[in-house]
């Protein structure tokens, strides 16, 4: 499933999805944002895909609702030809869409590694994605161990 | 020269595998942990009268005999090494020796509580299995005539934190529990269960490595801390590494992490490196770094125990610019005797003596090496959806 691009709405959002949700890309996670480090660790991860493709990743996560209760967020990824597509410029393959917004506000998101608990889909969500064959067993184990 | 390969195809799906005490321990996706003696596997392909049976047995079960102190005398005899290399060359095949096994060729050792398992480790004649619910422990014994494994006691939970990575040395097991921290357990004596300390040594741990003097705790794939290790020489070892053990080292680890140093201090002479590390891992004497610019470099640990700083000298690992190492994210790295095995999303690469060889060209479930093992220091095991492949790495430079 190649990444699709979507047109931006006049107010700068994308969407709606079939759940009637909108998405807004954030400047500080875009490629041209200034890189900031704290103790050698990058504070804000940056997408390596186009702004209009971010919405595609969001839509894929939002419509079947890959929601992680533990972390109060949606997790998205693109799994094609047996591989996870890199979404972030450091090789991040997962996207996190936090639900820290008012109900009618658009969602936003950024690429993450699964190393930290808050950036990893819960075991329950991974069980579900594995059962539905949305992700392969190889990747499921590695995400759960925090290696991807 | 490329490694020898045995490709074991199993009739029902498996998830992981581990070599210990002459046996292959396999986690099946039906929730069972089963074992089979390695020479039974080789015998399936070559009868015990076949001359290849002994060669493969030697290469996979006693690869250390090619590089231990005694071997120096043998390989000093003219043509000994040449004859072995010739045999190696004749038996080496990229596809590997394919051996088909059914689940009935294995003996069931335990029913596992939850799948998937995150890690498995055997040492001190005990089995440890980590999953999302914790760490499980069981004693094993090996029949000296048949080589078959049986369990000495039930599989019981000894630690209830999520257990994502295990690493053992002498009497100690390091337990990485991700955001719950790094814990350590020790085997108090033979036939006793692992005792795990209540307090985390570090607040976060993705994986660990042993250096000569320290534990290297990786908080992420690109960031580590060095933790001090206190050890004492004991008169008599109260446990065995394996029933075939002939190593006489008698060391007990008494404390881990009394002193520590962050990567920034350890790499004080390499400040330009810190923001460019994509992946770090270590061998006993040195640390390896895969950098964002595609470079693969190696820096030695300080030889003095009290000094946590890495050497100011930096060395390229590969003799030439790589055309095999992809720019994509590396998933895991494992150490062998003279090199390492790198796992990427779509391939597994052996790097030995500055040169690369592709071992697998597709995603795999797990890659394991056995750096603290006596027998299997130069063996690689790779589990994928079709079965498990064992590689015996060519022992000479």
């Amino acid at each position: 499933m190649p990444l699709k691009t979507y047109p931006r709405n006049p107010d700068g959002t994308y969407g709606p999805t079939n759940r009637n949700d909108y998405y807004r890309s954030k400047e500080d996670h875009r490629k041209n944002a200034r890189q900031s480090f704290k103790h050698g660790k990058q504070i804000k991860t940056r997408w390596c895909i186009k702004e209009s493709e971010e919405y595609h990743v969001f839509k894929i996560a939002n419509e079947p609702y890959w929601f992680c209760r533990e972390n109060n967020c949606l997790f998205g990824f693109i799994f094609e030809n047996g591989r996870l597509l890199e979404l972030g410029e450091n090789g991040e393959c997962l996207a996190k869409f936090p639900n820290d917004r008012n109900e009618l506000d658009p969602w936003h998101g950024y690429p993450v590694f699964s190393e930290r608990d808050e950036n990893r889909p819960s075991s329950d969500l991974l069980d579900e994605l594995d059962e539905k064959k949305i992700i392969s067993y190889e990747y499921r184990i590695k995400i759960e161990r925090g290696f991807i | 020269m490329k490694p020898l390969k045995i490709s074991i195809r199993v009739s029902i799906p498996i998830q992981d595998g581990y070599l210990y005490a002459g046996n292959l321990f396999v986690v099946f996706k039906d929730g069972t942990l089963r074992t089979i003696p390695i020479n039974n596997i080789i015998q399936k392909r070559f009868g015990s009268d076949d001359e290849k049976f002994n060669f493969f047995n030697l290469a996979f079960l006693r690869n250390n005999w090619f590089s231990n102190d005694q071997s120096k005398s043998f390989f000093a005899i003219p043509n000994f090494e040449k004859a072995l290399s010739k045999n190696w060359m004749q038996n080496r095949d990229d596809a590997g020796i394919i051996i088909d096994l059914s689940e009935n060729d294995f003996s069931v050792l335990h029913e596992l509580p939850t799948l998937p398992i995150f890690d498995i480790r055997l040492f001190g004649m005990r089995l440890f299995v980590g999953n999302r619910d914790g760490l499980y422990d069981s004693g094993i014994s090996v029949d000296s005539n048949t080589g078959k494994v049986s369990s000495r006691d039930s599989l019981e939970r000894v630690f209830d934190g999520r257990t994502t990575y295990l690493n053992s040395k002498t009497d100690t097991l390091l337990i990485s529990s991700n955001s719950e921290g790094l814990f350590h357990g020790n085997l108090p004596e033979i036939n006793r269960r692992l005792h795990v300390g209540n307090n985390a040594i570090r607040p976060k741990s993705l994986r660990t490595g042993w250096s000569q003097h320290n534990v290297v705790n990786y908080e992420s794939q690109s960031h580590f801390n060095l933790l001090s290790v206190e050890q004492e020489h004991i008169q008599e070892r109260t446990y065995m590494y394996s029933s075939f053990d002939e190593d006489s080292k008698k060391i007990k680890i008494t404390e881990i992490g009394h002193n520590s140093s962050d990567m920034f201090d350890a790499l004080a002479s390499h400040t330009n490196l810190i923001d460019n590390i994509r992946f770090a891992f270590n061998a006993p004497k040195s640390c390896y770094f895969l950098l964002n610019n595609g470079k693969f470099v190696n820096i030695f640990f300080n030889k003095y125990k009290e000094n946590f700083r890495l050497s100011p000298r930096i060395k390229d690992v590969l003799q030439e610019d790589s055309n095999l190492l992809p720019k994509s994210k590396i998933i895991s790295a494992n150490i062998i005797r003279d090199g390492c095995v790198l796992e990427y999303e779509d391939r597994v690469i052996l790097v030995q003596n500055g040169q690369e060889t592709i071992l697998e060209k597709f995603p795999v479930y797990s890659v394991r090496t056995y750096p603290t093992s006596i027998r299997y220091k130069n063996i690689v095991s790779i589990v994928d959806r079709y079965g498990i492949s064992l590689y015996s790495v060519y022992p000479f430079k």
Side-chain angles (χ1 to χ4, degrees), chain B residues 54-233:
Chain B
N54 290 322
F55 177 72
F56 274 86
N57 250 350
L58 188 62
F60 284 90
L61 282 164
R62 297 277 169 167
N63 185 302
N64 61 311
W65 282 3
F66 299 133
S67 48
N68 63 11
D69 283 348
Q70 293 91 323
S71 74
K72 285 177 191 158
S73 312
F74 283 105
F75 291 113
I77 298 170
N79 294 329
F80 244 64
E81 187 179 323
K82 216 171 160 185
L84 184 87
S85 299
K86 196 177 162 194
N87 254 297
W88 198 282
M89 182 78 97
Q90 281 169 352
N91 289 297
R92 206 207 59 71
D93 179 350
D94 281 346
I97 303 291
I98 295 170
I99 301 175
D100 290 307
L101 297 179
S102 83
E103 70 268 33
N104 299 326
D105 291 315
F106 295 80
S107 310
V108 176
L109 188 67
H110 287 295
E111 299 279 342
L112 295 169
T114 317
L115 284 186
I117 68 147
F118 294 152
D119 208 356
I120 177 170
R121 181 79 43 168
L122 285 117
F123 79 108
M125 297 305 279
R126 298 204 74 83
L127 160 75
F128 299 95
V129 178
N131 66 18
R132 61 175 72 151
D133 300 323
L135 175 68
Y136 295 79
D137 165 16
S138 161
I140 59 155
S141 59
V142 181
D143 186 295
S144 54
N145 293 320
T146 62
K148 284 192 174 173
V149 178
S150 53
S151 62
R152 270 206 310 254
D153 45 30
S154 59
L155 196 64
E156 268 186 29
R157 189 158 66 169
V158 288
F159 172 69
D160 60 9
R162 178 189 181 85
T163 301
T164 52
Y165 191 89
L166 299 169
N167 204 344
S168 61
K169 190 178 179 183
T170 67
D171 62 341
T172 295
L173 183 69
L174 295 171
I175 305 156
S176 296
S177 190
N178 222 299
S179 300
E180 291 173 47
L182 171 66
F183 293 81
H184 84 110
N186 73 309
L187 291 177
E189 54 191 274
I190 193 162
N191 295 345
R192 292 280 299 278
R193 289 196 186 273
L194 187 84
H195 175 260
V196 183
N198 289 328
N199 300 323
I201 314 168
R202 295 289 302 179
K204 180 156 176 39
S205 179
L206 192 64
R207 56 187 163 88
T208 54
W210 294 96
S211 79
Q212 217 166 11
H213 300 301
N214 306 121
V215 165
V216 188
N217 176 48
Y218 294 86
E219 292 187 345
S220 71
Q221 299 280 40
S222 57
H223 190 97
F224 63 80
N225 344 98
L226 296 174
L227 310 175
S228 64
V229 175
E230 298 303 323
Q231 56 189 37
E232 65 182 35
H233 291 261

Side-chain angles (χ1 to χ4, degrees), chain A:
Chain A
M1 185 197 339
L3 275 173
K4 283 185 200 160
T5 56
Y6 287 84
R8 188 163 48 186
N9 300 322
D11 66 351
T13 61
Y14 291 86
T17 64
N18 65 12
R19 296 178 66 90
N20 216 20
D21 283 324
Y22 288 83
Y23 178 80
R24 187 189 296 278
S25 172
K26 280 195 144 186
E27 268 300 306
D28 48 0
H29 290 287
R30 290 301 314 157
K31 232 177 180 175
N32 46 3
R34 202 172 141 233
Q35 260 192 317
S36 46
F37 290 92
K38 190 177 178 186
H39 304 305
K41 290 172 189 167
Q42 196 178 3
I43 299 169
K44 300 256 183 185
T45 57
R46 302 190 300 189
W47 296 97
C48 66
I49 56 176
K50 290 179 195 162
E51 183 187 308
S52 52
E53 291 171 334
E54 278 180 46
Y55 173 66
H56 184 202
V57 183
F58 171 70
K59 188 172 154 67
I60 282 175
N62 177 267
E63 291 182 348
Y65 215 58
W66 297 342
F67 189 75
C68 173
R69 273 195 214 129
E70 281 86 336
N71 293 316
N72 190 31
C73 67
L74 289 167
F75 281 104
F77 54 84
I78 304 287
F79 186 65
E80 60 177 7
N81 301 326
R83 291 184 61 178
L84 278 178
L85 194 73
E86 287 193 8
L87 302 173
E89 62 175 12
N90 291 319
E92 296 93 339
C93 296
L94 295 175
K96 180 177 176 178
F97 303 100
N99 190 23
D100 55 355
R101 61 191 183 101
N102 294 319
E103 204 178 326
L104 297 175
D105 285 351
W107 291 71
H108 75 281
Y110 45 87
V112 290
F113 285 129
S114 63
E115 293 167 346
R116 295 155 65 129
D117 285 359
E118 64 269 28
N119 290 340
R120 188 171 54 239
S122 64
S123 298
D124 289 344
L125 177 58
L126 286 169
D127 280 347
E128 187 189 325
L129 297 173
D130 185 15
E131 264 167 38
K132 291 180 178 167
K133 308 244 178 276
I134 290 166
I135 194 164
S136 71
Y137 202 68
E138 289 94 336
Y139 283 106
R140 177 260 157 86
I141 298 168
K142 281 157 195 164
I143 291 172
E144 209 166 357
R145 294 181 76 188
F147 288 175
I148 279 185

Side-chain angles (χ1 to χ4, degrees), chain B residues 14 20 64 116 138 140 153 183 243 266 268-269 303 312 333 366:
Chain B
I14 65 170
Y20 183 71
N64 61 311
S138 161
I140 59 155
D153 45 30
F183 293 81
S243 60
S269 340
K303 63 181 176 183
S366 77

